[in-house]
Amino acid sequence: IIAELVDNSLDEDSGEINVRFFETDSEDDDVGLAVLDNGNGFETPDDMFNAMEIQVKDNRKGIEDIGKYHIGMKLAPLSRYQDLYLVSIIEGKTWVCRAFNADRTGKTFDMDDEKHENPTKAIPYNPKDKSISDSVHAQLAGLKSDKGKGNFGKPKSCKWTTCVIAERKWRD
């Protein structure tokens, strides 16, 4: 999972990549994963949703490149976790797109579903959104080591452009 997400960050010319593990449920020893970077990010919120597609038609990768089938960013985390968050700062605003493990949530992964329940269309990030867990909000608020520059809730001063978070494990 980590190698795939870091490779994606490198593909987007990231100068800094941060891999974090965080507690999501102390009773179950549940640990989430976050990969943050300061790379190119996404151009539009629709690009975030389209990144959830299993295969894209304009595949620019070569035969020797990792990720040429465009499945790793979704399937690697969802093979072990129930929830996947894709967060990106676009034109000074923070956006979030989510996907869910269909086996555990009952929400079929369907890009063509008009309701866009799984994955969801990108929406503006709100640090008070109750549908996002406290542990995810905490990661998006930044760490002390970010020295005030890691808060996605303050996109104009955030040093990161993109974050992928996987939480609520369902398989060891």
Side-chain angles (χ1 to χ4, degrees):
I1 297 171
I2 296 167
E4 175 62 39
L5 298 178
V6 168
D7 182 65
N8 290 349
S9 296
L10 293 171
D11 284 347
E12 292 302 320
D13 299 322
S14 299
E16 185 175 355
I17 302 167
N18 189 290
V19 177
R20 301 176 181 170
F21 297 94
F22 59 96
E23 184 176 77
T24 60
D25 185 343
S26 60
E27 290 181 23
D28 288 337
D29 283 336
D30 199 4
V31 175
L33 166 69
V35 177
L36 302 91
D37 70 52
N38 66 349
N40 297 328
F42 292 87
E43 290 184 23
T44 69
D46 283 341
D47 289 343
M48 292 175 67
F49 178 75
N50 292 335
M52 294 293 183
E53 182 69 73
I54 298 298
Q55 176 64 37
V56 292
K57 294 173 181 46
D58 60 340
N59 191 347
R60 61 188 165 118
K61 295 197 176 209
I63 194 154
E64 299 297 321
D65 291 333
I66 294 173
K68 73 178 194 166
Y69 296 109
H70 195 73
I71 61 173
M73 191 266 302
K74 290 83 53 183
L75 295 184
L78 289 175
S79 71
R80 298 284 184 246
Y81 291 93
Q82 293 180 45
D83 301 334
L84 174 67
Y85 296 81
L86 175 59
V87 182
S88 191
I89 296 174
I90 302 169
E91 296 181 3
K93 293 182 181 175
T94 303
W95 296 84
V96 62
C97 183
R98 294 182 261 189
F100 309 97
N101 182 297
D103 287 343
R104 295 287 291 169
T105 63
K107 295 180 181 185
T108 304
F109 193 94
D110 184 356
M111 295 290 294
D112 298 321
D113 176 23
E114 291 180 15
K115 293 181 183 178
H116 302 295
E117 290 182 315
N118 191 22
T120 66
K121 285 280 195 178
I123 60 170
Y125 173 65
N126 179 348
K128 296 180 181 180
D129 185 338
K130 299 283 187 208
S131 71
I132 297 175
S133 72
D134 290 342
S135 58
V136 169
H137 282 304
Q139 293 305 306
L140 296 176
L143 302 178
K144 287 181 184 176
S145 61
D146 291 328
K147 299 179 182 168
K149 300 287 184 190
N151 189 340
F152 277 87
K154 297 179 180 178
K156 292 185 192 289
S157 64
C158 187
K159 70 179 185 176
W160 307 115
T161 53
T162 306
C163 179
V164 177
I165 298 176
E167 71 156 4
R168 297 191 324 132
K169 71 177 180 181
W170 74 277
R171 191 186 287 179
D172 291 325

